[in-house]
Amino acid sequence: MDRIIYTAAGGAARVLEHQSVVSNNLANVSTAGFREELAIYRSVPLQGHNSLPTRVSTATATTASSFQAGGLAETGHALDLAIRGEGWFAVQTPAGEAYTRAGEFAVNNENLLVTQAGFPVLSADGAPIEVPERGTLTFSDDGQITVLGAGDNPNDIQNLGQVKLVNPPANELVRGEDGLFRTADGAAAQVDPAVRMISGFVERSNVNPAEAMVSMIANARLFEMQMQVIQHANTNAERANGILSAQ
């Protein structure tokens, strides 16, 4: 009976882990540029004197991400940017360079272009992008930045550089606890001139809320089934002990 309980308990643990991933996805349905997390598991053969080749358990292999693009929402805000197709914005964090699809940018008190979390957006040369005070920014589809200062002649447009747009292979990216992606080896990705972006739009989360809700309901039912297996195993053990005691 202990083997039944062990197998059912292992299954219940995997269901709870999956439920946690799905709950996090559902909580980020409205988060710009969010990439859906995927729970991946693998079978593990049980080793032992009385084990059978068909008896396996499960273990968490890793959590992956869906890199499918989310829909674009028009905001009309000049500092809202969205990647068209594949690619990432590069930002500077305390843990090094990281990548995001969330283009809801702003200008902080130090006149730097930053993310909603306050991380500086990087230029193609790897430096933070400094914006002249009260300057009006314009972005081209390849990331070129031009600025017109307050009160300046329209002909006095200045070039501030270029937003760093990268496109490292998806299998080389890992998600950090801050929700940002980084290369597996920690190295900075190279600028990809083929990446294109658009101003005045933000990318929505790629999580499908209906699918996430269905998955949560299915997980709840699976967990209940595992608990029923444990209860039945306990009932069978009590009955077996009663029969043995009667003899």
Side-chain angles (χ1 to χ4, degrees), residues 161-234:
Q162 184 178 15
V163 176
K164 184 174 183 179
L165 303 174
V166 302
N167 190 24
N171 59 2
E172 294 182 5
L173 293 175
V174 293
R175 186 197 299 261
E177 294 182 359
D178 54 7
L180 301 175
F181 288 82
R182 296 171 176 81
T183 56
D185 60 3
Q190 298 298 314
V191 173
D192 188 338
V195 178
R196 290 293 180 266
M197 68 179 209
I198 184 171
S199 177
F201 290 77
V202 293
E203 182 181 356
R204 299 190 184 98
S205 166
N206 69 349
V207 176
N208 185 316
E211 290 182 357
M213 286 299 299
V214 170
S215 183
M216 290 191 70
I217 295 172
N219 280 337
R221 291 176 176 172
L222 286 173
F223 185 80
E224 183 179 355
M225 290 172 60
Q226 301 289 2
M227 293 298 100
Q228 288 178 353
V229 170
I230 294 176
Q231 291 173 1
H232 290 328
N234 183 58

Coordinates of all heavy atoms in Angstrom, one line a residue, residues 161-234:
G161 N 20.8 58.3 -31.0 CA 21.3 56.9 -31.1 C 20.3 55.9 -31.5 O 19.3 56.3 -32.2
Q162 N 20.4 54.7 -31.0 CA 19.5 53.6 -31.4 C 19.2 52.7 -30.2 O 20.1 52.4 -29.5 CB 20.1 52.8 -32.6 CG 19.3 51.8 -33.1 CD 20.0 51.0 -34.3 OE1 21.2 51.2 -34.5 NE2 19.2 50.3 -35.1
V163 N 17.9 52.3 -30.1 CA 17.6 51.4 -29.1 C 18.2 50.0 -29.4 O 18.2 49.6 -30.6 CB 16.0 51.2 -29.0 CG1 15.6 50.1 -28.0 CG2 15.4 52.5 -28.7
K164 N 18.8 49.3 -28.4 CA 19.4 48.0 -28.6 C 18.3 47.0 -28.8 O 17.5 46.7 -27.9 CB 20.3 47.7 -27.5 CG 21.0 46.3 -27.7 CD 22.1 46.0 -26.7 CE 22.8 44.8 -27.0 NZ 23.9 44.4 -26.0
L165 N 18.2 46.4 -30.0 CA 17.3 45.4 -30.3 C 18.0 44.1 -30.6 O 18.9 44.1 -31.5 CB 16.4 45.8 -31.5 CG 15.6 47.1 -31.4 CD1 15.0 47.4 -32.7 CD2 14.6 47.0 -30.3
V166 N 17.7 43.0 -29.9 CA 18.4 41.8 -30.1 C 17.5 40.6 -30.4 O 16.3 40.8 -30.2 CB 19.2 41.5 -28.8 CG1 20.2 42.6 -28.4 CG2 18.3 41.2 -27.6
N167 N 18.0 39.5 -30.8 CA 17.2 38.4 -31.1 C 18.0 37.1 -30.9 O 18.2 36.3 -31.8 CB 16.6 38.4 -32.5 CG 15.6 37.4 -32.8 OD1 14.9 36.9 -31.8 ND2 15.4 37.0 -34.0
P168 N 18.4 36.8 -29.6 CA 19.2 35.6 -29.4 C 18.2 34.4 -29.5 O 17.0 34.5 -29.4 CB 19.6 35.7 -27.9 CG 18.6 36.7 -27.3 CD 18.2 37.6 -28.4
P169 N 18.8 33.2 -29.8 CA 18.0 32.0 -29.9 C 17.2 31.7 -28.7 O 17.7 31.9 -27.6 CB 19.0 30.9 -30.2 CG 20.2 31.6 -30.8 CD 20.2 32.9 -30.1
A170 N 15.9 31.3 -28.8 CA 15.0 31.1 -27.7 C 15.6 30.1 -26.7 O 15.4 30.2 -25.5 CB 13.6 30.7 -28.2
N171 N 16.3 29.1 -27.3 CA 16.8 28.0 -26.4 C 18.0 28.5 -25.6 O 18.5 27.7 -24.7 CB 17.1 26.8 -27.2 CG 18.2 27.0 -28.3 OD1 18.7 28.1 -28.4 ND2 18.5 26.0 -29.0
E172 N 18.5 29.7 -25.8 CA 19.6 30.2 -25.0 C 19.2 31.2 -24.0 O 20.0 31.7 -23.3 CB 20.6 30.9 -26.0 CG 21.3 29.9 -26.9 CD 22.3 30.6 -27.8 OE1 22.5 31.8 -27.6 OE2 22.9 30.0 -28.7
L173 N 17.8 31.4 -23.9 CA 17.3 32.4 -22.9 C 16.7 31.7 -21.7 O 16.1 30.6 -21.8 CB 16.2 33.2 -23.6 CG 16.7 34.2 -24.7 CD1 15.5 34.9 -25.3 CD2 17.7 35.2 -24.1
V174 N 17.0 32.3 -20.5 CA 16.4 31.7 -19.3 C 15.7 32.9 -18.6 O 16.1 34.0 -18.6 CB 17.5 31.2 -18.4 CG1 18.1 29.9 -19.0 CG2 18.6 32.2 -18.1
R175 N 14.6 32.5 -18.0 CA 13.8 33.5 -17.3 C 14.3 33.7 -15.9 O 14.5 32.8 -15.1 CB 12.3 33.1 -17.2 CG 11.4 34.1 -16.6 CD 10.0 33.5 -16.2 NE 9.4 32.9 -17.3 CZ 8.3 33.5 -18.0 NH1 7.9 34.7 -17.7 NH2 7.8 32.8 -19.0
G176 N 14.4 35.0 -15.4 CA 14.9 35.3 -14.1 C 13.7 35.5 -13.2 O 12.6 35.6 -13.6
E177 N 14.0 35.6 -11.9 CA 12.9 35.8 -10.9 C 12.2 37.1 -11.1 O 11.1 37.3 -10.6 CB 13.5 35.6 -9.5 CG 14.0 34.2 -9.1 CD 14.5 34.1 -7.7 OE1 14.4 35.1 -7.0 OE2 14.9 33.0 -7.3
D178 N 12.9 38.0 -11.7 CA 12.3 39.4 -12.0 C 11.4 39.4 -13.2 O 10.9 40.4 -13.6 CB 13.4 40.4 -12.1 CG 14.5 40.1 -13.1 OD1 14.3 39.1 -13.8 OD2 15.5 40.8 -13.2
G179 N 11.3 38.2 -13.9 CA 10.5 38.1 -15.1 C 11.2 38.5 -16.4 O 10.6 38.3 -17.4
L180 N 12.4 38.9 -16.2 CA 13.2 39.3 -17.4 C 14.0 38.1 -17.9 O 14.3 37.1 -17.1 CB 14.2 40.4 -17.1 CG 13.5 41.7 -16.6 CD1 14.6 42.7 -16.2 CD2 12.6 42.3 -17.7
F181 N 14.4 38.1 -19.1 CA 15.2 37.0 -19.7 C 16.6 37.4 -19.9 O 17.0 38.5 -20.1 CB 14.6 36.6 -21.1 CG 13.3 35.9 -21.0 CD1 12.1 36.6 -20.8 CD2 13.2 34.5 -21.0 CE1 10.9 36.0 -20.7 CE2 12.0 33.8 -20.9 CZ 10.8 34.6 -20.8
R182 N 17.5 36.4 -19.7 CA 18.9 36.6 -19.9 C 19.5 35.4 -20.6 O 18.9 34.3 -20.7 CB 19.6 36.7 -18.5 CG 19.2 38.0 -17.8 CD 19.7 38.0 -16.3 NE 19.4 39.2 -15.6 CZ 18.2 39.4 -15.0 NH1 17.3 38.5 -15.0 NH2 18.0 40.5 -14.4
T183 N 20.7 35.6 -21.2 CA 21.3 34.5 -21.9 C 21.8 33.5 -20.9 O 22.2 33.9 -19.7 CB 22.5 34.9 -22.8 OG1 23.4 35.7 -21.9 CG2 22.0 35.8 -23.9
A184 N 21.8 32.2 -21.2 CA 22.2 31.2 -20.3 C 23.6 31.4 -19.7 O 23.9 31.1 -18.5 CB 22.1 29.8 -20.9
D185 N 24.5 31.9 -20.6 CA 25.9 32.1 -20.1 C 26.2 33.4 -19.5 O 27.3 33.8 -19.1 CB 26.9 31.8 -21.2 CG 26.7 32.7 -22.5 OD1 25.8 33.6 -22.4 OD2 27.4 32.5 -23.5
G186 N 25.1 34.3 -19.5 CA 25.3 35.6 -18.9 C 25.9 36.6 -19.9 O 26.0 37.8 -19.5
A187 N 26.2 36.2 -21.1 CA 26.9 37.2 -22.0 C 25.8 38.1 -22.6 O 24.7 37.7 -22.8 CB 27.6 36.4 -23.1
A188 N 26.2 39.3 -23.0 CA 25.3 40.2 -23.7 C 25.1 39.8 -25.1 O 26.0 39.4 -25.9 CB 25.9 41.6 -23.6
A189 N 23.8 39.8 -25.5 CA 23.5 39.5 -26.9 C 23.9 40.6 -27.9 O 23.9 41.8 -27.5 CB 22.0 39.2 -27.0
Q190 N 24.1 40.2 -29.1 CA 24.5 41.2 -30.1 C 23.3 41.9 -30.7 O 22.2 41.3 -30.8 CB 25.4 40.5 -31.2 CG 26.7 39.9 -30.7 CD 27.6 40.9 -30.1 OE1 27.8 42.0 -30.7 NE2 28.2 40.6 -29.0
V191 N 23.5 43.1 -31.2 CA 22.4 43.8 -31.9 C 22.0 43.1 -33.1 O 22.9 42.6 -33.9 CB 22.9 45.2 -32.2 CG1 21.8 45.9 -33.0 CG2 23.1 46.0 -30.9
D192 N 20.7 42.9 -33.4 CA 20.3 42.3 -34.6 C 19.6 43.3 -35.4 O 18.5 43.8 -35.1 CB 19.3 41.2 -34.2 CG 18.9 40.3 -35.4 OD1 19.0 40.9 -36.6 OD2 18.4 39.2 -35.3
P193 N 20.2 43.7 -36.6 CA 19.6 44.8 -37.4 C 18.3 44.4 -38.1 O 17.6 45.3 -38.6 CB 20.7 45.0 -38.4 CG 21.5 43.8 -38.5 CD 21.4 43.2 -37.1
A194 N 17.9 43.1 -38.0 CA 16.7 42.7 -38.7 C 15.5 42.9 -37.8 O 14.3 42.8 -38.3 CB 16.8 41.2 -39.1
V195 N 15.7 43.1 -36.5 CA 14.5 43.3 -35.6 C 13.9 44.7 -35.8 O 14.6 45.7 -36.0 CB 15.0 43.2 -34.1 CG1 13.8 43.5 -33.1 CG2 15.6 41.9 -33.8
R196 N 12.6 44.7 -35.8 CA 11.8 45.9 -36.1 C 10.8 46.1 -34.9 O 10.4 45.2 -34.2 CB 11.0 45.8 -37.4 CG 11.9 45.8 -38.6 CD 12.6 47.2 -38.7 NE 13.4 47.3 -39.9 CZ 14.7 47.1 -39.9 NH1 15.3 46.7 -38.7 NH2 15.5 47.2 -41.0
M197 N 10.5 47.4 -34.7 CA 9.6 47.8 -33.6 C 8.7 48.9 -34.1 O 8.8 49.4 -35.2 CB 10.4 48.3 -32.4 CG 11.1 49.6 -32.6 SD 12.0 50.2 -31.2 CE 12.0 51.9 -31.5
I198 N 7.7 49.2 -33.3 CA 6.7 50.2 -33.6 C 6.4 51.0 -32.4 O 6.4 50.5 -31.3 CB 5.4 49.5 -34.2 CG1 4.4 50.6 -34.6 CG2 4.8 48.6 -33.1 CD1 3.2 50.0 -35.4
S199 N 6.2 52.3 -32.6 CA 6.0 53.3 -31.5 C 4.5 53.5 -31.3 O 3.7 53.4 -32.3 CB 6.7 54.6 -31.8 OG 6.4 55.5 -30.8
G200 N 4.1 53.7 -30.1 CA 2.6 54.0 -29.8 C 1.8 52.7 -29.6 O 0.6 52.8 -29.5
F201 N 2.5 51.6 -29.5 CA 1.9 50.3 -29.2 C 2.6 49.6 -28.1 O 3.8 49.8 -27.9 CB 1.9 49.4 -30.4 CG 1.0 49.9 -31.6 CD1 1.4 50.9 -32.4 CD2 -0.2 49.3 -31.8 CE1 0.6 51.4 -33.4 CE2 -1.0 49.7 -32.8 CZ -0.7 50.7 -33.7
V202 N 1.9 48.7 -27.4 CA 2.5 47.8 -26.4 C 2.0 46.4 -26.8 O 0.9 46.2 -27.3 CB 2.2 48.1 -25.0 CG1 2.8 49.5 -24.6 CG2 0.7 48.2 -24.7
E203 N 2.9 45.4 -26.5 CA 2.5 44.0 -26.7 C 1.8 43.5 -25.5 O 2.3 43.6 -24.3 CB 3.7 43.2 -27.0 CG 3.4 41.7 -27.3 CD 4.7 40.9 -27.6 OE1 5.8 41.5 -27.6 OE2 4.5 39.7 -27.7
R204 N 0.7 42.8 -25.7 CA -0.1 42.2 -24.6 C 0.6 40.9 -24.2 O 1.5 40.4 -24.9 CB -1.5 41.9 -25.0 CG -2.3 43.1 -25.4 CD -3.8 42.7 -25.6 NE -4.7 43.7 -26.0 CZ -5.0 43.9 -27.3 NH1 -4.6 43.1 -28.2 NH2 -5.8 44.9 -27.6
S205 N 0.2 40.4 -23.0 CA 0.7 39.1 -22.6 C 0.2 38.0 -23.6 O -0.9 38.2 -24.2 CB 0.1 38.8 -21.2 OG 0.2 37.4 -20.9
N206 N 1.0 37.0 -23.8 CA 0.6 35.9 -24.7 C -0.2 34.8 -24.0 O -0.4 33.7 -24.5 CB 1.8 35.3 -25.4 CG 2.7 34.5 -24.5 OD1 2.6 34.6 -23.3 ND2 3.7 33.8 -25.1
V207 N -0.6 35.0 -22.7 CA -1.4 34.0 -22.0 C -2.8 34.0 -22.4 O -3.4 35.1 -22.5 CB -1.3 34.3 -20.5 CG1 -2.2 33.3 -19.7 CG2 0.1 34.2 -20.0
N208 N -3.4 32.9 -22.7 CA -4.8 32.8 -23.1 C -5.6 32.5 -21.8 O -5.4 31.5 -21.2 CB -5.0 31.6 -24.1 CG -6.4 31.5 -24.5 OD1 -7.4 31.6 -23.8 ND2 -6.6 31.3 -25.8
P209 N -6.3 33.5 -21.3 CA -7.0 33.4 -20.0 C -8.0 32.2 -20.0 O -8.1 31.5 -18.9 CB -7.7 34.7 -19.8 CG -7.8 35.3 -21.2 CD -6.6 34.8 -21.9
A210 N -8.7 31.9 -21.1 CA -9.6 30.8 -21.1 C -8.9 29.5 -20.9 O -9.3 28.6 -20.2 CB -10.4 30.8 -22.4
E211 N -7.8 29.3 -21.7 CA -7.0 28.1 -21.5 C -6.4 27.9 -20.1 O -6.4 26.8 -19.6 CB -5.9 28.0 -22.6 CG -6.4 27.9 -24.0 CD -5.2 27.8 -25.0 OE1 -4.0 28.0 -24.5 OE2 -5.5 27.6 -26.2
A212 N -6.0 29.0 -19.5 CA -5.5 29.0 -18.2 C -6.5 28.6 -17.2 O -6.3 27.8 -16.3 CB -4.9 30.3 -17.8
M213 N -7.7 29.1 -17.3 CA -8.8 28.7 -16.4 C -9.2 27.2 -16.6 O -9.4 26.5 -15.6 CB -10.1 29.6 -16.7 CG -9.9 31.0 -16.2 SD -9.7 31.1 -14.4 CE -11.2 30.3 -13.8
V214 N -9.2 26.7 -17.8 CA -9.5 25.3 -18.0 C -8.4 24.5 -17.4 O -8.7 23.4 -16.8 CB -9.6 25.0 -19.5 CG1 -9.7 23.5 -19.8 CG2 -10.9 25.7 -20.1
S215 N -7.2 24.9 -17.5 CA -6.1 24.1 -16.9 C -6.2 24.1 -15.4 O -5.9 23.1 -14.8 CB -4.7 24.8 -17.4 OG -3.7 24.0 -16.9
M216 N -6.6 25.2 -14.8 CA -6.7 25.2 -13.3 C -7.8 24.3 -12.9 O -7.7 23.6 -11.9 CB -7.0 26.7 -12.9 CG -5.9 27.6 -13.0 SD -6.2 29.2 -12.2 CE -6.1 28.7 -10.4
I217 N -8.9 24.2 -13.6 CA -10.0 23.3 -13.3 C -9.6 21.9 -13.4 O -9.8 21.0 -12.6 CB -11.2 23.6 -14.1 CG1 -11.8 25.0 -13.8 CG2 -12.3 22.6 -13.9 CD1 -12.9 25.5 -14.8
A218 N -8.8 21.6 -14.5 CA -8.4 20.2 -14.7 C -7.4 19.8 -13.6 O -7.4 18.7 -13.2 CB -7.7 20.1 -16.1
N219 N -6.5 20.7 -13.2 CA -5.6 20.4 -12.2 C -6.3 20.1 -10.8 O -5.9 19.2 -10.1 CB -4.6 21.6 -12.0 CG -3.5 21.5 -13.0 OD1 -3.2 20.5 -13.6 ND2 -2.9 22.7 -13.3
A220 N -7.3 20.9 -10.6 CA -8.1 20.7 -9.3 C -8.7 19.3 -9.3 O -8.7 18.6 -8.3 CB -9.2 21.7 -9.2
R221 N -9.2 18.9 -10.5 CA -9.8 17.5 -10.5 C -8.7 16.4 -10.4 O -9.0 15.4 -9.8 CB -10.5 17.4 -11.9 CG -11.8 18.3 -12.0 CD -12.4 18.2 -13.3 NE -13.7 18.9 -13.4 CZ -14.4 19.2 -14.5 NH1 -14.0 18.7 -15.6 NH2 -15.5 19.9 -14.4
L222 N -7.6 16.7 -11.1 CA -6.5 15.7 -10.9 C -6.0 15.5 -9.5 O -5.8 14.4 -9.0 CB -5.3 16.1 -11.9 CG -5.5 15.9 -13.4 CD1 -4.4 16.5 -14.1 CD2 -5.6 14.4 -13.7
F223 N -5.9 16.7 -8.8 CA -5.5 16.6 -7.4 C -6.5 15.8 -6.6 O -6.1 15.0 -5.7 CB -5.3 18.0 -6.9 CG -4.7 18.1 -5.5 CD1 -3.4 17.9 -5.2 CD2 -5.6 18.3 -4.4 CE1 -2.9 17.9 -4.0 CE2 -5.1 18.3 -3.1 CZ -3.7 18.1 -2.9
E224 N -7.8 16.1 -6.8 CA -8.8 15.3 -6.1 C -8.7 13.8 -6.3 O -8.9 13.0 -5.4 CB -10.2 15.9 -6.5 CG -11.3 15.2 -5.7 CD -12.7 15.8 -6.1 OE1 -12.7 16.7 -6.9 OE2 -13.7 15.3 -5.7
M225 N -8.4 13.5 -7.6 CA -8.3 12.0 -7.9 C -7.1 11.4 -7.2 O -7.2 10.3 -6.7 CB -8.1 11.9 -9.4 CG -9.3 12.2 -10.3 SD -9.0 12.2 -12.0 CE -8.4 10.5 -12.3
Q226 N -6.0 12.1 -7.1 CA -4.8 11.6 -6.4 C -5.2 11.4 -4.9 O -4.7 10.5 -4.3 CB -3.6 12.6 -6.5 CG -3.2 12.8 -8.0 CD -2.5 11.6 -8.6 OE1 -2.4 10.6 -8.0 NE2 -2.1 11.8 -9.8
M227 N -5.9 12.4 -4.3 CA -6.3 12.3 -2.9 C -7.2 11.1 -2.7 O -7.2 10.4 -1.7 CB -7.0 13.6 -2.4 CG -6.0 14.8 -2.4 SD -4.6 14.6 -1.2 CE -3.3 14.1 -2.4
Q228 N -8.1 10.8 -3.6 CA -9.0 9.7 -3.5 C -8.2 8.4 -3.6 O -8.6 7.4 -2.8 CB -10.0 9.7 -4.7 CG -11.1 10.8 -4.5 CD -12.1 10.8 -5.6 OE1 -11.9 10.1 -6.6 NE2 -13.1 11.7 -5.5
V229 N -7.2 8.3 -4.4 CA -6.3 7.1 -4.4 C -5.7 6.9 -3.1 O -5.7 5.7 -2.6 CB -5.3 7.2 -5.5 CG1 -4.2 6.1 -5.4 CG2 -5.9 7.2 -6.9
I230 N -5.2 7.9 -2.4 CA -4.6 7.8 -1.1 C -5.6 7.3 -0.1 O -5.4 6.5 0.8 CB -3.9 9.1 -0.7 CG1 -2.8 9.4 -1.6 CG2 -3.5 9.1 0.8 CD1 -2.1 10.8 -1.3
Q231 N -6.8 7.9 -0.2 CA -7.9 7.5 0.8 C -8.3 6.0 0.6 O -8.5 5.3 1.6 CB -9.1 8.4 0.6 CG -8.9 9.8 1.0 CD -10.0 10.8 0.7 OE1 -11.0 10.3 0.1 NE2 -9.9 12.0 1.0
H232 N -8.4 5.6 -0.7 CA -8.8 4.2 -0.9 C -7.7 3.3 -0.5 O -7.9 2.2 0.1 CB -9.0 4.0 -2.4 CG -10.2 4.7 -2.9 ND1 -11.4 4.8 -2.2 CD2 -10.5 5.2 -4.2 CE1 -12.3 5.5 -2.9 NE2 -11.8 5.7 -4.1
A233 N -6.4 3.7 -0.6 CA -5.3 2.9 -0.2 C -5.3 2.7 1.3 O -5.1 1.6 1.9 CB -4.0 3.5 -0.6
N234 N -5.6 3.8 2.0 CA -5.7 3.7 3.5 C -6.9 2.8 3.9 O -6.8 2.1 4.9 CB -5.9 5.2 4.0 CG -6.0 5.2 5.5 OD1 -5.0 4.8 6.2 ND2 -7.1 5.7 6.1

